[in-house]
Structures are given as structure tokens and as C-alpha cells.
């Protein structure tokens, strides 16, 4: 069940990963290394569900059972990253990489932490290493694309990486949303619209997707569809001042006060 939980986690099915991890914990003994792995997976799944207090308890248990497993420190790093405790996250991932220097996901996580701390070149170096170690991980290419998107004049490099990420993992909505953003910034509105449609069709419920699609419809003077997307975006993110202003502009344009 611990192995099954890892597979579910790899496919972003947090609920199934959590259920399999709980099953592994209930069936195994604390001397079994698989149980420590199961606690670590439980912690990661709970972190994704933002149940941080219970996730911390699972991390503590995993470390207590087997402090020599890299995954238990990856779980701690992901939890600390999610709660914006970046220095602790960096310490945890350093331990994981010390235990297993060829751990691709460890470099990916450390790259994300370093980016949030403003160390962009170091972050890019870590993500490059993650790709070198596991060139079939779409998430690493998407992560590198995000780093490129933060740097002026590197949108084409971001696009190349997002194309690769989608080729490897074609069902990831976030990759299409990111590519749609890059294409929109390049003025390729039809291609951007196709990607945003795909992201939403794949289940993305991000306010940004609807905001961006609303912008495209607005520039195309398709105000009814722009209005629908902006209203959905506001429903998901009520405090977005940009979308509030865009909605007001459409109301004025349509004389819909």
C-alpha cells in the first residue's frame, strides 16, 4: 500500500494517496520501513490539502520511525514550504539531498525554495540539475518555465519548456494555463485562448485562467464572454482589484450599471 500511495502521489491524486498511506500504516508495524514512507506520503498529501497541523504530526512520526529516509525530509520540506517557513524547508531538503545526492525531486523542491528567497540563479541551477537527473519529469520543465517567466526577455525559453512539459504530461491543466499566459504576452491570442480553454476543460479552477481568458475576449470585443469569465474569476478571487475594474469597464461599455 505504501508503494501504491507513492504512485497515486505521482499522479497528483492526493485523496487516493492518503487513503493508501493510511492503509499501509494500519497494516504494517513501526519497524517496517514502508510505514515510515507511508507517514511521509500522508504528510505530503495532507500538505496538499492544507491540513498542516496533522501533516506536521505525520512528518514527526516519519522522522522518528526512520531518520535515514530521504522522503521523510522531503515531506518536511514541502510542508515548511507550503507554510512559508523557507529556511526550515531549505534545511530539510538539504538533509534529503545529503542522504541521496541524485534525488531529482529534491533539487526541484530546493529550486522552488531558492526562487522564493530571491536566489534566481541558484534556483535555476537546481532545476537544471533536476531535469538532468530525470529528463522525463514534466513538472521540472514547467518549473523552469516559471523561472524564465519571471525574467525579462526569456518568454521564448519558457515556451520551449512548457511545450516539453505538455508533451510529457499532457493532462496537466496548469501547464496549459502557463503556456496560455506566455502566448498572451506574445500577442498570440488565438493560441493563448486554445490553451486556456484546455486548462479549464482539464479541470483548472484557478481564478487566473478565467481572468486571462476574460482579457482575451475583451481585446476581441467579445464582451459577453469576457463578462462571464471575469465574474467567474471574481467568484474564485473576490479581492482581485484588476478584475473588478475590468468588470466595471464592461458594465459601462454595455451600459449595464
Amino acid at each position: 500500500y505504501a508503494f501504491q500511495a507513492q504512485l497515486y502521489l505521482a499522479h497528483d491524486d492526493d485523496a487516493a494517496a492518503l487513503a493508501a498511506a493510511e492503509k499501509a500504516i494500519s497494516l504494517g508495524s513501526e519497524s517496517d520501513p514502508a510505514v515510515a514512507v507511508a507517514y511521509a506520503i500522508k504528510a505530503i498529501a495532507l500538505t496538499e490539502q492544507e491540513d498542516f497541523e496533522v501533516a506536521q504530526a505525520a512528518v514527526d512520526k516519519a522522522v522518528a520511525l526512520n531518520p535515514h529516509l530521504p522522503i521523510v525530509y522531503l515531506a518536511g520540506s514541502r510542508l515548511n514550504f507550503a507554510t512559508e517557513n523557507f529556511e526550515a524547508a531549505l534545511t530539510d531538503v538539504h538533509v534529503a539531498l545529503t542522504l541521496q545526492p541524485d534525488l531529482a525531486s529534491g533539487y526541484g523542491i530546493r529550486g522552488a525554495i531558492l526562487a522564493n528567497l530571491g536566489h534566481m540563479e541558484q534556483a535555476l541551477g537546481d532545476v537544471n540539475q533536476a531535469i538532468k537527473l530525470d529528463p522525463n519529469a514534466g513538472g521540472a520543465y514547467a518549473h523552469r518555465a516559471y523561472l524564465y517567466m519571471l525574467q525579462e526577455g526569456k518568454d521564448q525559453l519558457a515556451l520551449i519548456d512548457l511545450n516539453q512539459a505538455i508533451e510529457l504530461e499532457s493532462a496537466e491543466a496548469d501547464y496549459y494555463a502557463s503556456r496560455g499566459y506566455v502566448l498572451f504576452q506574445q500577442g498570440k491570442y488565438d493560441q493563448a485562448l486554445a490553451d486556456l480553454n484546455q486548462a479549464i476543460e482539464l479541470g483548472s479552477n484557478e481564478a487566473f485562467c478565467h481572468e486571462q481568458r476574460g482579457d482575451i475576449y475583451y481585446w476581441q470585443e467579445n464582451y459577453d464572454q469576457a463578462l462571464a469569465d471575469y465574474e467567474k474569476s471574481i467568484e474564485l478571487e473576490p479581492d482581485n482589484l484588476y478584475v473588478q475594474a475590468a468588470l466595471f469597464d464592461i458594465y459601462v461599455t454595455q451600459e449595464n450599471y
Side-chain angles (χ1 to χ4, degrees):
Y1 286 99
F3 178 71
Q4 189 179 60
Q6 287 179 293
L7 291 177
Y8 284 132
L9 198 63
H11 289 88
D12 296 324
D13 191 340
D14 302 320
L18 182 58
E22 294 281 23
K23 189 71 173 178
I25 291 166
S26 68
L27 292 175
S29 67
E30 292 193 348
S31 61
D32 184 352
V35 173
V37 171
Y39 273 108
I41 293 170
K42 176 180 177 178
I44 293 170
L46 289 168
T47 297
E48 292 299 314
Q49 296 177 4
E50 299 186 0
D51 191 348
F52 300 133
E53 185 176 347
V54 183
Q56 184 63 64
V59 169
D60 293 342
K61 185 68 173 179
V63 174
L65 289 174
N66 194 331
H68 305 294
L69 286 175
I71 191 173
V72 305
Y73 298 99
L74 286 184
S77 184
R78 290 178 67 158
L79 173 59
N80 282 315
F81 181 79
T83 55
E84 299 186 358
N85 191 353
F86 298 127
E87 293 297 340
L90 204 55
T91 298
D92 279 336
V93 77
H94 176 72
V95 175
L97 287 169
T98 299
L99 291 168
Q100 186 179 340
D102 62 348
L103 186 61
S105 59
Y107 289 100
I109 293 169
R110 193 169 71 178
I113 298 165
L114 289 168
N116 275 273
L117 291 172
H119 306 307
M120 298 304 294
E121 289 302 319
Q122 291 172 269
L124 188 58
D126 268 348
V127 176
N128 286 339
Q129 182 66 8
I131 291 171
K132 180 180 178 180
L133 290 168
D134 186 2
N136 295 315
Y141 293 97
H143 185 189
R144 189 168 67 181
Y146 171 72
L147 295 179
Y148 286 142
M149 288 160 65
L150 295 175
Q151 300 177 58
E152 187 176 350
K154 294 193 175 181
D155 55 308
Q156 196 58 35
L157 291 174
L159 195 59
I160 291 168
D161 271 344
L162 288 166
N163 288 341
Q164 182 65 22
I166 289 169
E167 183 177 332
L168 290 167
E169 298 173 10
S170 60
E172 288 293 333
D174 289 346
Y175 302 169
Y176 291 96
S178 295
R179 191 171 69 178
Y181 171 80
V182 174
L183 290 167
F184 177 77
Q185 295 300 313
Q186 293 181 338
K188 300 173 182 176
Y189 299 132
D190 289 340
Q191 291 172 262
L193 184 59
D195 270 349
L196 292 166
N197 286 340
Q198 183 69 5
I200 292 167
E201 185 177 325
L202 286 170
S204 175
N205 205 29
E206 295 288 337
F208 171 77
C209 282
H210 292 282
E211 174 190 328
Q212 193 77 74
R213 192 168 69 173
D215 286 343
I216 294 172
Y217 285 137
Y218 181 88
W219 286 109
Q220 293 177 339
E221 298 185 0
N222 189 341
Y223 297 124
D224 288 340
Q225 288 186 281
L227 182 64
D229 266 322
Y230 286 146
E231 287 178 340
K232 181 64 177 178
S233 182
I234 282 291
E235 178 187 324
L236 295 167
E237 190 181 342
D239 296 330
N240 189 321
L241 296 179
Y242 169 80
V243 178
Q244 290 175 14
L247 275 170
F248 180 76
D249 188 60
I250 292 177
Y251 290 147
V252 170
T253 300
Q254 295 187 328
E255 297 182 351
N256 185 10
Y257 296 93

